[in-house]
Amino acid sequence: MLWGGDDAEARLRELLRARRAQYAEIPHHLDTTAHTVAQVAEEVLALYAAQPRTWRVSAPSGSYPVHLARGGIGQLGALLRAREVGDNLAVVSDANVWPHWGEPLLAGLRGSGYAPEVIVLPAGEEQKHLDNVRLLYDRLAVAGVDRGAAVLALGGGVITDMAGFAAATFMRGVPLVPVPTTLLGMIDAAIGGKVAVDHPRGKNLIGAFVQPLLVMLDPDTLATLPDQERRAGLAEIIKAGVIADPTLFTALEAGAPSADLRWEIERAIAVKIAVVEEDPYEQGRRAVLNLGHTFAHAIEVLSSYRLHHGLAVSIGMAAAARLAELRGVGTAALSERIISTLTRHGLPTTYEEHPPAAVYQAMRADKKRRGGTPRLVLPRAIGEVVVVSDVTETEIIAALERIRP
Ligand code: GLY
């Protein structure tokens, strides 16, 4: 019996202590202090309308939740308090995202008593370098951010990667909370623990594996997504379909995605989680996520990172499909399905800015810098890819010739 003893408060505290870990797992917390029953009922209904969903991702260092909920960024303060995350938080964002989503995030954090250090960096892939990481270290140090607190990364893949790398290395690791605001960030960068910055000699050359404390995906943030970002995210969703989800691919092959992209996001997340759980440190299976990426990285380098990563991946998938066809791994019909689906969603599938030989040289240089044999992911069927490491220069050039307009 809880009530009726002198030590009721002590017993309540003991119960709270024993149950805190379980409570922290609940993605939504309502503070009912000074609320009427009607007010609480209204908040519960609002939560229902947010259509929350949580996945738990298993990782070698433990598991972490990925929450998907409309309005979720306003919930972060309560979630972090429930996990006993300390006061010295930092929020890292960029100049495009912050004006839209900074205030809703801060309001929720302030409501739970946090007054975070806010660091807003210029936007763009060309910002993903060590000088900005050094700047982050300086600001984290001055703000007194420590391992008992967390770094929140509010933005797209660039912010997730760069703030993630800073969090992974500052004080040998401060908890990281990705709050991705782009499709690409939600279905790829924020899940699986890969963080990195670019180096003049290659993309993502300096990085780490770090599993987040939790991930918060708020689909409301997609409302302000520029069209190019939306299409780039769709390229990665189509990629997830080609790798492992024929139902997802077939739906996108047949027509427009759902208006809020919710179904497509959930399918793509499921693919990403299954792959990273099987191979958290990219020792094998995880390489399949790089479908189109070896071509894409070379094209991105040749464009001095002016071409968006997702759009480069679309071109890279077209090249990978043609290469599969040339090697007899795939068929012409398969290539046509992949290329016409990408085209249908406004994505590029041809490349002529640099000759195939220049793209091949950039691929080779990238491979040499990373060491090891060049591994290319080729589609065998919709939902099935193979990783090959014996592709010749002639084959790569021939595939690139096939995607010239
Ligand atoms: N973005 C690819 C991966 O997480 O492995």
Side-chain angles (χ1 to χ4, degrees):
M1 215 27 223
L2 198 56
W3 308 112
D6 290 343
D7 56 350
E9 185 179 336
R11 275 189 282 156
L12 267 177
R13 286 192 185 285
E14 175 52 24
L15 267 181
L16 183 60
R17 194 200 57 71
R19 293 177 181 171
R20 193 178 286 281
Q22 280 76 39
Y23 289 158
E25 290 306 310
I26 299 169
H28 299 282
H29 294 247
L30 295 183
D31 186 349
T32 56
T33 318
H35 280 42
T36 64
V37 172
Q39 283 167 332
V40 174
E42 229 168 74
E43 289 194 26
V44 171
L45 285 175
L47 260 186
Y48 177 73
Q51 301 173 290
R53 169 148 191 207
T54 297
W55 294 261
R56 184 152 273 285
V57 184
S58 301
S61 54
S63 66
Y64 59 91
V66 175
H67 301 301
L68 174 69
R70 299 195 57 192
I73 63 174
Q75 301 276 329
L76 276 162
L79 271 179
L80 297 178
R81 278 288 174 225
R83 290 175 168 263
E84 299 185 299
V85 172
D87 286 331
N88 295 344
L89 291 185
V91 178
V92 181
S93 189
D94 73 36
N96 286 347
V97 171
W98 187 252
H100 295 291
W101 299 105
E103 196 43 49
L105 176 74
L106 280 184
L109 292 174
R110 286 196 202 106
S112 295
Y114 290 110
E117 174 76 2
V118 174
I119 309 163
V120 179
L121 297 170
E125 175 77 30
E126 66 280 8
Q127 296 297 329
K128 210 175 93 171
H129 50 63
L130 277 176
D131 289 346
N132 273 331
V133 173
R134 189 170 300 117
L135 187 147
L136 290 177
Y137 292 150
D138 292 346
R139 296 282 300 272
L140 297 180
V142 170
V145 174
D146 57 29
R147 286 192 219 140
V151 171
L152 277 63
L154 176 74
V158 170
I159 286 294
T160 308
D161 271 359
M162 191 157 48
F165 182 70
T169 45
F170 186 70
M171 295 185 79
R172 299 194 181 87
V174 172
L176 170 68
V177 179
V179 190
T181 55
T182 63
L183 258 184
L184 256 174
M186 288 184 190
I187 62 172
D188 188 29
I191 301 169
K194 268 169 55 170
V195 293
V197 290
D198 299 335
H199 183 275
R201 298 184 72 89
K203 198 173 152 67
N204 294 334
L205 273 195
I206 306 153
F209 286 96
V210 54
Q211 304 307 333
L213 179 68
L214 64 92
V215 180
M216 175 56 81
L217 316 177
D218 182 346
D220 284 351
T221 60
L222 298 178
T224 52
L225 203 61
D227 176 63
Q228 173 169 270
E229 282 290 341
R230 185 182 160 92
R231 285 187 294 124
L234 270 172
E236 291 279 351
I237 291 177
I238 293 168
K239 185 197 82 178
V242 176
I243 292 170
D245 188 345
T247 305
L248 174 59
F249 180 88
T250 312
L252 290 168
E253 183 178 33
S258 62
D260 64 0
L261 293 169
R262 173 83 184 217
W263 180 79
E264 292 80 0
I265 291 171
E266 293 197 13
R267 300 289 300 205
I269 286 175
V271 170
K272 173 94 196 213
I273 290 176
V275 173
V276 301
E277 283 187 334
E278 188 179 329
D279 181 16
Y281 296 123
E282 201 168 353
Q283 303 291 305
R285 166 89 179 146
R286 188 163 177 165
V288 301
L289 296 173
N290 292 333
L291 172 63
H293 281 58
T294 308
F295 288 104
H297 285 168
I299 292 170
E300 284 179 86
V301 169
L302 288 173
S303 81
S304 304
Y305 296 113
R306 276 190 289 274
L307 182 66
H308 194 293
H309 173 67
L311 304 189
V313 166
S314 175
I315 297 168
M317 278 195 281
R322 290 302 185 196
L323 182 53
E325 183 188 329
L326 288 168
R327 285 178 66 106
V329 170
T331 60
L334 177 65
S335 302
E336 295 304 334
R337 284 184 75 188
I338 293 171
I339 290 171
S340 62
T341 303
L342 292 165
T343 309
R344 161 172 219 140
H345 295 283
L347 288 159
T349 54
T350 59
Y351 187 74
E352 61 176 342
E353 282 69 15
H354 290 87
V359 179
Y360 174 72
Q361 285 309 328
M363 286 168 77
R364 233 168 67 103
D366 191 47
K367 169 231 133 190
K368 253 172 61 187
R369 281 177 209 127
R370 287 162 193 272
T373 44
R375 292 197 303 164
L376 281 152
V377 185
L378 304 181
R380 180 150 48 200
I382 296 301
E384 189 187 345
V385 290
V386 290
V387 182
V388 293
S389 51
D390 61 346
V391 182
T392 64
E393 173 178 354
T394 312
E395 288 172 312
I396 287 177
I397 302 250
L400 288 163
E401 288 290 356
R402 289 289 307 274
I403 63 159
R404 281 167 83 80

